[in-house]
Amino acid sequence: MELVAQAETVPSSSDAVMTAQPMLQTSGLTKAYAGNVVLRDVSMTILAGEIHALVGENGAGKSTWINLVTGVVRPDAGSISIAGNVAPHLSPRIAEQLGIATVHQELSLCPHLTVGENVFLGKTPTRHGLIDHDRIRHEAERQFRDLGVSIDPNALAGELSLAEQQLVELAKALAAKPKLLILDEATSALDSSQVDLLVQALRRLRDSGTAIVFVSHRMEEIFAISDRITVLKNGEYITTVPAAGTTTADLVRHMVGRDMADIYPPKPAISDLLAGPTLLSVRDLGSGKRFSGVSFELHRGEILGLGGLQGQGQHDLLAALFGLYGLEGGISLHGADLRLRGPRGAMRHRFAYVPEDRKTEGLIVQLPVRENLALPNLDQISQNGVLSRSRERTLVAAMVDKLQIRLRSPRQTLLRLSGGNQQKVAIAKWLPLAPEVYLLAEPTRGIDVGTKQEIYRLMRELTAGGAAIILISSDTIELLGLCDRVLVMYERRPVAMLSGEDVTEENVVHAAVVGEAVGGATVVRISSTATEDPDASVATVASPTVPPRRGVAGMASRLSWLRWLGNLPRAWQDVVPIYGVLLVFAIIYLYLTRNTFGIDTVNNLSAYLFPLFLAAIAQSVIMLTGGIDLAIGQAMSLATVVLATQMYDNPLSMAKAIAIVLIGGGVLGAFTGAIVTLIRLPAIIVTLATSFIWAGWALFVLSVPGGHLPRRFATNFTGQIGGVIPVTLLVLAGAILAWKFVKSTPLGLGIYAVGDNPRGAFVSGVPVRMSRIAAYVIAGVLTGLAGIGLSSYAATGDPLIGAPYSLASISGAVLGGIAFFGGQGQIRGTIAGALTLGLMTQILFISGLSPAYQRIVYGAVLIVALGVKAFASVRIEEGR
Amino acid sequence: MASIPSGANPVAQPTRARRFRFPGIDPVLITYSVLTLIWVYSLIRVEGYRTVDYNLFTLRVAAFLAIVAAGQTLVVLMGGIDLSVASVITMTGVVGGNLITQVGETGGIVLTLLIAAIVGVANGIGVVSLRLPPLVMTLASMSVIQGGLLVYNAGKPVSGQSDFLNYWALGEHFRVPTPVYVLGAIIVLTMFLLHKTSYGRAIYAIGNNPRAALLSGIPIGLVQVATYALCSVIAGITGLLLLGRTGYSSKTMGDPYLLSAIAAVVIGGTSILGGRGKVIGTVGGALVLTVLVNLLTVENIPEAGRMVIQGGLILVLLFAYAYTDQ
């Protein structure tokens, strides 16, 4: 469009912009999801050396634009040029190579990696192929110093506060020394001092020629920082204006197309509301560390907003009111004390909850619309558990009609509906319950303007009918337009309650970023006879701010060992329990073998446990990426029969056979990994199928145990070096060292990252698919090694001998703390887990306990050990 | 909003791949097409298969598998898995045999199924309260049951004669083998539960998104425990039928059914991740497996080949189902 011509005349403090080069140009960019167009024909230009704000309501298309420009998704039409060159195919890696860095709204950090590792994820510095941890630490420290914050690069990202995490995400983008920096809601959790630091950093960047795109809801910030502002509305480009000379009102008018008064339904008189009946009364409400000190009276007909920076406990408060968290303090409904027990209990008291993320929490998108609408109302449409289709039809039709949900038929899958209609379903499904309290978290996120208005109108209809709404919105304008009162939270405590005329952007933002009320606004008082007097202007300073907890700080727990546990470095916390159990078993074992204990005992034990160790380690590597392999045992059987048929009694043949097994293991792993990753089939069933195939193949090679495995090989492998050190122990140590080596390469880091936060790893440029396949290949080689150990111990090839190892390897890994869904756990835990299992079996065997009791104890130990672990981790989480 | 999505969230589902899907093709269609193909091929290849009697016999054999697989389907639809079914089969065969001899037919059967239900409830509690992954929990309970059985009767075969069970395992009604009627009853029951009750809605909801189901007021704990219990009871029925077939039970009688039951579920088009699938598909899957194994045996393909072909078939069908509409 005409922007390039405009560029020359844009005023800026930097000389560079006078001869401004376009850094990024999008032309006719269009994107649709499932038939719904979210971005239509958007053309705009971002210049070097400018801070360019991108604004628009929820659902205007800003995030989609960012995803397109950073290569996270591909456009359906249109082109993107970077520094004058058209980029035909973008991916996060390519975008990064072209000099684009992003501070994502949905953080791309991996919670179980350190801050330093996160900052350089996808572009990890190496020295001789290994990760250069020193350089990571220095560079990360430097980034933080330049920013003006102090964050420990060795801390785990998951333990930081949300604000710190956003700052790490920022440092990560800056570390890439980008030519184009995009910030997507990067300040939503930052307080005013942190925002200042950010702004300074941005200005420095701009002056050195970087192009910056800044997406935010906060008008103040936008006008303070930006040079130019582009407005998107409903997926379309509206205009680009210089920041100087534009007012908020102008901007809002561009964003919504009309004056605010026309968008939001009129509010009832605040004095009438506050004089009316109280629905819900809350006194000094808290929930552990999530939030505390919340007191308010919710009146019929009222819309109460929860304001404040992101991550200050608002969402937790809403969830707690729906029974999802334990509550301390007083809460009463209609004057009677209330005990909320879970969502069902809340529903029985006529609470409704529309969570923030409709795709993953609010709705079940794979199911038809009809079933989504019916789900909270099953009691109403069924008799004694049996559904009545006719009642369902009537109910569904009523809901669709009431909210004017646009669809082809109620049997349609929810996925095909537009965001706005999906959200309508998320709200409509509660109507038959006739709720009195609606808890709405970001109810208009990602919806078009028209639907938004319908929802606003619905909200007022509901309140007019006697209900009350508690609302969270990160869009300040929306908060102001909708709410009768706003409770602002800061550091997980309320700091201001604004009513009626006091609900202004200035008051809300001030309370949010500074943490105290501007004089004249009421502050919530904590007293047992709390009554709200809207005319009182008591400026009480909020209680001293509590610094956000890092890790597991001391919590007064009845189980004091948990406190000790919590103070350990995080990496060891998870494995202490299993090492404890291991210690117990080791003592029992040593006692049982005290008379015969010697070098040979150790050797025998090592040779016996060797296959299990390696199988469990192999399984762990796969499970780290979120996968699983049910065929490890069968691959081990295959290895034994190959060895038994290929190995003859001369060194060359031995070497060859070993090589075949190791390389073959890698190949089989690559095969499995490719199917799981490239064709995207569930690992559990793919490996069930491959377990059949490997087992059949093994039977094919050798239908009965036998072969000609050289005696010499078997005895040597299970023997000792120098009569003292078991060969198997050495090989095991070698395998562990090899894994440590892999872990210290970018590949190894990628394997952890992919399991920890797959999307985050992807947008950081980690090669996700390759990492997963690599994990399977590594596991395959380890499995081959396990097979070698197994055949040596059995001194034969046996097509069925490995089968029990499939499930045993999973047990060992899980016992040792590898999280079932990936991203968590250390191999040292697996070693303990496998060792525990192995020792347990040995103990049961030596003690003469029949195989029967062995099985029982095996199962019981699994259940008890994992159950205790789950129990303990829930407790630790609660205390966080 | 700004937050780190947690990959280690025990409630998080692995994301289903988004890909192009052929609209309007139900996986069950594919299952039964494959079945028809294999069946017709076997009719052509093997003369002995062309009698009605032989096919009825095949139905009888398949029915045993289909029954336990139907129970497994319920659990898989819910997003779980039950590895303990094989040991439950063995347990109900062994314990049932003894109880029938000691307490009489009716009492014995009822008690046995009750014990199976208790196992299922234990599985459910482990999954719900202890937050154990279903794979691990049912693996552990499988081990405990196996051990318990060995303690119980030291691995000796148990004899338990029951005319009632004998009839339902070996009998005929209008030439149709009686196990087929049992299967029919179970199909009717499970289909009714899944499609006509709130409970069924809850199963599909939990299988697709347990968090959203919880937030819609579904009692996800109760539903899960009930489903694992139901699966175990149905496995128990299979065990009793197997007992009725020979009058004896052995400590390995359940073993072949574990992997086959899961394979039948998957071949029948039910997604192992939960939330999609039909019992009628599982029945088709059981038939496919039975007919296929018969064919391969008669063609003198050794066990090795049989296993490879079964594994390959699962992979191929998985691939096909991934591109169908569900």
Side-chain angles (χ1 to χ4, degrees):
Chain A
M1 308 191 75
E2 76 284 6
L3 295 169
V4 178
Q6 242 187 28
E8 266 79 18
T9 56
V10 170
S12 161
S13 51
S14 160
D15 288 331
V17 183
M18 286 312 174
T19 49
Q21 297 294 327
M23 180 60 74
L24 173 74
Q25 253 170 315
T26 71
S27 180
L29 221 49
T30 305
K31 180 73 184 170
Y33 287 111
N36 302 311
V37 179
V38 293
L39 209 63
R40 192 192 315 269
D41 199 25
V42 170
S43 307
M44 48 190 277
T45 306
I46 313 288
L47 302 169
E50 73 163 343
I51 298 183
H52 194 125
L54 187 60
V55 302
E57 303 179 289
N58 278 340
K62 310 185 292 288
S63 287
T64 308
W65 186 87
I66 292 177
N67 283 338
L68 287 169
V69 158
T70 52
V72 174
V73 294
R74 301 264 171 87
D76 295 331
S79 70
I80 302 171
S81 318
I82 299 174
N85 304 317
V86 175
H89 289 302
L90 274 181
S91 74
R93 287 189 75 103
I94 298 178
E96 192 213 325
Q97 281 159 11
L98 292 174
I100 304 179
T102 318
V103 179
H104 302 268
Q105 181 178 41
E106 222 178 83
L107 296 178
S108 67
L109 304 182
C110 297
H112 294 97
L113 266 52
T114 66
V115 164
E117 287 165 345
N118 268 294
V119 168
F120 289 100
L121 194 63
K123 41 187 182 303
T124 321
T126 58
R127 208 159 62 126
H128 312 309
L130 297 179
I131 300 178
D132 193 344
H133 285 288
D134 282 333
R135 213 172 114 200
I136 288 182
R137 207 184 48 243
H138 282 138
E139 294 285 332
E141 278 170 359
R142 187 149 64 93
Q143 283 297 335
F144 292 131
R145 242 194 338 263
D146 287 346
L147 261 183
V149 297
S150 84
I151 295 178
D152 178 12
N154 287 329
L156 287 186
E159 289 172 358
L160 302 178
S161 70
L162 193 56
E164 286 169 325
Q165 285 171 354
Q166 272 193 329
L167 289 171
V168 171
E169 186 88 16
L170 176 66
K172 180 175 168 180
L174 294 177
K177 310 218 189 305
K179 293 197 223 125
L180 169 65
L181 176 66
I182 302 178
L183 297 114
D184 191 359
E185 304 277 8
T187 56
S188 55
L190 302 180
D191 64 35
S192 55
S193 60
Q194 290 163 332
V195 171
D196 284 339
L197 294 171
L198 172 69
V199 170
Q200 285 169 35
L202 291 182
R203 287 202 178 119
R204 278 196 303 268
L205 271 181
R206 176 199 53 194
D207 294 341
S208 67
T210 311
I212 299 175
V213 175
F214 185 76
V215 174
S216 172
H217 275 301
R218 303 197 200 161
M219 295 294 136
E220 269 185 41
E221 269 171 21
I222 290 171
F223 283 108
I225 308 179
S226 346
D227 302 313
R228 294 195 298 157
I229 307 172
T230 293
V231 181
L232 291 183
K233 183 177 96 168
N234 241 2
E236 292 180 355
Y237 170 87
I238 301 296
T239 182
T240 302
V241 296
T246 311
T247 67
T248 306
D250 294 333
L251 218 48
V252 171
R253 215 176 309 119
H254 286 303
M255 280 164 61
V256 302
R258 47 188 119 163
D259 286 322
M260 250 177 73
D262 295 338
I263 317 266
Y264 300 101
K267 303 186 199 180
I270 186 72
S271 45
D272 289 344
L273 267 182
L274 294 179
T278 302
L279 197 49
L280 180 71
S281 173
V282 154
R283 283 177 309 284
D284 205 12
L285 198 66
S287 177
K289 304 247 180 296
R290 297 192 185 95
F291 60 86
S292 57
V294 175
S295 306
F296 60 79
E297 315 249 314
L298 189 65
H299 305 86
R300 282 194 189 276
E302 172 179 3
I303 298 184
L304 172 70
L306 297 180
L309 298 173
Q310 236 199 306
Q312 303 306 309
Q314 302 95 323
H315 286 277
D316 290 335
L317 174 58
L318 226 57
L321 287 174
F322 196 59
L324 288 168
Y325 299 126
L327 284 173
E328 305 123 20
I331 175 169
S332 57
L333 186 66
H334 298 301
D337 273 338
L338 186 65
R339 302 211 60 156
L340 284 170
R341 270 186 233 282
R344 279 175 74 75
M347 282 166 69
R348 236 172 295 142
H349 291 288
R350 315 260 286 274
F351 281 65
Y353 177 49
V354 179
E356 172 187 2
D357 194 337
R358 58 175 170 270
K359 290 217 187 67
T360 61
E361 288 194 313
L363 296 169
I364 304 184
V365 290
Q366 302 92 336
L367 291 179
V369 174
R370 170 181 73 182
E371 287 196 28
N372 274 284
L373 288 173
L375 207 56
N377 306 301
L378 290 175
D379 290 338
Q380 275 188 43
I381 59 174
S382 65
Q383 187 139 17
N384 296 327
V386 180
L387 295 171
S388 157
R389 277 300 162 95
S390 57
R391 260 192 262 180
E392 183 187 15
R393 238 173 308 156
T394 322
L395 201 70
V396 166
M399 287 190 258
V400 170
D401 181 59
K402 171 86 189 150
L403 263 89
Q404 293 288 300
I405 303 177
R406 282 175 270 291
L407 36 65
R408 269 199 319 267
S409 121
R411 267 174 302 157
Q412 228 181 331
T413 315
L414 198 60
L415 201 56
R416 307 230 154 248
L417 262 57
S418 69
N421 281 308
Q422 284 179 357
Q423 190 69 348
K424 282 186 179 178
V425 172
I427 298 176
K429 72 183 194 183
W430 295 108
L431 295 180
L433 207 65
E436 294 188 307
V437 177
Y438 284 86
L439 306 163
L440 308 178
E442 305 279 359
T444 61
R445 198 178 103 179
I447 340 185
D448 59 281
V449 175
T451 313
K452 241 188 269 213
Q453 292 205 256
E454 291 178 67
I455 292 183
Y456 296 154
R457 253 176 298 150
L458 173 71
M459 285 194 215
R460 277 301 172 189
E461 266 181 53
L462 293 172
T463 54
I469 296 178
I470 304 183
L471 169 73
I472 296 179
S473 176
S474 56
D475 184 346
T476 318
I477 297 178
E478 186 176 76
L479 207 61
L480 304 176
L482 274 180
C483 305
D484 302 304
R485 293 194 296 164
V486 174
L487 180 70
V488 181
M489 310 218 7
Y490 182 80
E491 304 257 326
R492 301 180 180 272
R493 299 182 66 89
V495 291
M497 172 70 96
L498 307 164
S499 302
E501 299 274 296
D502 288 332
V503 178
T504 65
E505 185 181 1
E506 189 202 340
N507 287 340
V508 170
V509 172
H510 181 95
V513 303
V514 176
E516 55 185 38
V518 177
T522 337
V523 168
V524 179
R525 316 204 81 219
I526 299 168
S527 92
S528 54
T529 53
T531 45
E532 285 239 341
D533 185 353
D535 293 329
S537 29
V538 179
T540 310
V541 177
S543 54
T545 57
V546 176
R549 299 281 174 190
R550 235 163 271 232
V552 182
M555 68 179 199
S557 157
R558 275 160 295 181
L559 301 161
S560 59
W561 62 273
L562 273 179
R563 201 181 314 161
W564 169 76
L565 194 65
N567 284 331
L568 284 177
R570 195 52 201 282
W572 285 97
Q573 262 177 38
D574 290 331
V575 297
V576 162
I578 190 61
Y579 271 93
V581 173
L582 176 60
L583 193 62
V584 170
F585 280 140
I587 293 176
I588 298 178
Y589 179 77
L590 286 174
Y591 177 75
L592 284 176
T593 57
R594 65 193 181 284
N595 292 326
T596 54
F597 195 84
I599 303 271
D600 282 337
T601 329
V602 172
N603 188 42
N604 221 359
L605 192 62
S606 175
Y608 168 73
L609 292 179
F610 179 82
L612 180 58
F613 268 127
L614 260 75
I617 294 177
Q619 186 73 254
S620 303
V621 171
I622 294 177
M623 284 173 76
L624 280 175
T625 64
I628 196 171
D629 192 340
L630 291 183
I632 283 187
Q634 284 77 3
M636 283 165 71
S637 304
L638 186 55
T640 68
V641 298
V642 165
L643 276 180
T645 51
Q646 297 294 317
M647 194 186 273
Y648 293 95
D649 197 352
N650 67 74
L652 187 62
S653 166
M654 287 186 193
K656 209 173 71 151
I658 291 178
I660 292 178
V661 164
L662 291 180
I663 296 178
V667 168
L668 292 188
F671 175 73
T672 309
I675 297 183
V676 170
T677 312
L678 298 176
I679 309 186
R680 289 179 293 165
L681 296 176
I684 195 171
I685 286 299
V686 168
T687 55
L688 181 72
T690 55
S691 77
F692 280 113
I693 299 178
W694 306 157
W697 193 350
L699 278 171
F700 189 67
V701 172
L702 259 190
S703 51
V704 288
H708 46 73
L709 191 73
R711 196 119 274 265
R712 197 151 64 112
F713 178 74
T715 31
N716 279 345
F717 196 83
T718 56
Q720 294 145 328
I721 290 203
V724 178
I725 305 175
V727 171
T728 47
L729 210 55
L730 280 177
V731 176
L732 178 63
I736 295 176
L737 279 174
W739 170 249
K740 281 211 169 308
F741 173 76
V742 169
K743 231 183 80 160
S744 56
T745 60
L747 174 67
L749 191 65
I751 288 178
Y752 275 90
V754 158
D756 207 7
N757 182 353
R759 187 176 189 269
F762 172 64
V763 302
S764 305
V766 173
V768 172
R769 295 190 298 194
M770 278 304 126
S771 303
R772 288 209 170 109
I773 294 180
Y776 276 96
V777 170
I778 294 173
V781 174
L782 290 172
T783 305
L785 195 53
I788 294 176
L790 187 57
S791 64
S792 302
Y793 189 78
T796 184
D798 184 339
L800 297 177
I801 192 173
Y805 285 89
S806 295
L807 295 176
S809 62
I810 296 176
S811 305
V814 170
L815 211 53
I818 299 284
F820 208 71
F821 291 99
Q824 255 192 75
Q826 300 284 338
I827 298 299
R828 76 195 75 166
T830 303
I831 295 174
L835 193 52
T836 304
L837 277 182
L839 274 184
M840 184 173 70
T841 325
Q842 283 285 300
I843 290 173
L844 293 172
F845 179 69
I846 294 175
S847 64
L849 220 50
S850 71
Y853 287 104
Q854 288 181 32
R855 296 249 173 84
I856 297 181
V857 173
Y858 182 92
V861 164
L862 262 186
I863 296 176
V864 168
L866 292 177
V868 167
K869 180 172 181 291
F871 181 72
S873 65
V874 165
R875 291 299 216 141
I876 292 179
E877 278 298 319
E878 291 282 318
R880 210 172 278 279
Chain B
M1 287 293 110
S3 67
I4 304 181
S6 168
N9 180 354
V11 173
Q13 297 278 6
T15 44
R16 224 166 249 138
R18 256 189 244 153
R19 64 172 104 230
F20 172 73
R21 294 178 188 272
F22 290 101
I25 301 185
D26 194 328
V28 176
L29 236 69
I30 298 183
T31 315
Y32 280 92
S33 308
V34 169
L35 172 65
T36 313
L37 267 159
I38 301 180
W39 182 59
V40 167
Y41 180 76
S42 68
L43 286 184
I44 297 177
R45 287 284 295 185
V46 185
E47 220 193 287
Y49 285 9
R50 292 176 213 155
T51 61
V52 175
D53 273 337
Y54 183 77
N55 285 296
L56 289 176
F57 172 71
T58 307
L59 269 181
R60 185 189 298 271
V61 172
F64 289 105
L65 176 59
I67 291 172
V68 59
Q72 180 79 247
T73 309
L74 292 177
V75 168
V76 171
L77 280 176
M78 206 176 54
I81 196 169
D82 191 348
L83 294 184
S84 66
V85 288
S87 43
V88 169
I89 290 178
T90 310
M91 178 192 79
T92 48
V94 167
V95 170
N98 277 336
L99 282 179
I100 287 177
T101 319
Q102 292 161 11
V103 178
E105 244 177 19
T106 329
I109 292 176
V110 168
L111 269 176
T112 308
L113 290 180
L114 200 60
I115 296 176
I118 293 176
V119 169
V121 166
N123 280 336
I125 292 180
V127 169
V128 171
S129 306
L130 298 183
R131 312 246 207 118
L132 295 175
L135 189 81
V136 176
M137 176 65 207
T138 55
L139 170 63
S141 65
M142 169 171 88
S143 191
V144 171
I145 296 173
Q146 281 174 344
L149 276 178
L150 285 178
V151 172
Y152 178 70
N153 79 328
K156 293 194 301 278
V158 163
S159 104
Q161 292 290 358
S162 156
D163 292 331
F164 178 76
L165 290 179
N166 204 277
Y167 173 70
W168 283 107
L170 292 175
E172 266 183 14
H173 201 67
F174 302 136
R175 284 199 86 182
V176 174
T178 41
V180 177
Y181 289 102
V182 178
L183 174 64
I186 292 192
I187 294 178
V188 168
L189 173 70
T190 49
M191 284 182 70
F192 173 74
L193 285 176
L194 283 175
H195 300 295
K196 291 243 182 288
T197 64
S198 309
Y199 170 65
R201 288 289 173 92
I203 289 186
Y204 279 104
I206 297 174
N208 273 300
N209 190 337
R211 176 80 179 164
L214 174 72
L215 293 178
S216 294
I218 302 287
I220 60 176
L222 264 176
V223 171
Q224 288 181 301
V225 171
T227 310
Y228 279 100
L230 197 51
C231 175
S232 281
V233 168
I234 294 179
I237 293 177
T238 309
L240 286 174
L241 283 180
L242 286 178
L243 174 66
R245 192 167 66 171
T246 57
Y248 285 93
S249 59
S250 74
K251 70 174 175 177
T252 54
M253 61 194 269
D255 291 350
Y257 286 93
L258 176 56
L259 293 182
S260 306
I262 299 177
V265 170
V266 170
I267 291 177
T270 300
S271 167
I272 198 70
L273 299 174
R276 289 186 306 207
K278 303 200 180 127
V279 173
I280 201 74
T282 303
V283 173
L287 284 167
V288 164
L289 277 176
T290 313
V291 173
L292 181 64
V293 168
N294 281 351
L295 176 64
L296 294 178
T297 317
V298 153
E299 295 267 34
N300 273 322
I301 298 193
E303 164 132 30
R306 272 185 268 151
M307 299 201 73
V308 172
I309 292 180
Q310 281 180 325
L313 178 66
I314 294 178
L315 277 182
V316 166
L317 282 178
L318 267 187
F319 188 75
Y321 293 145
Y323 287 89
T324 63
D325 192 40
Q326 266 143 344

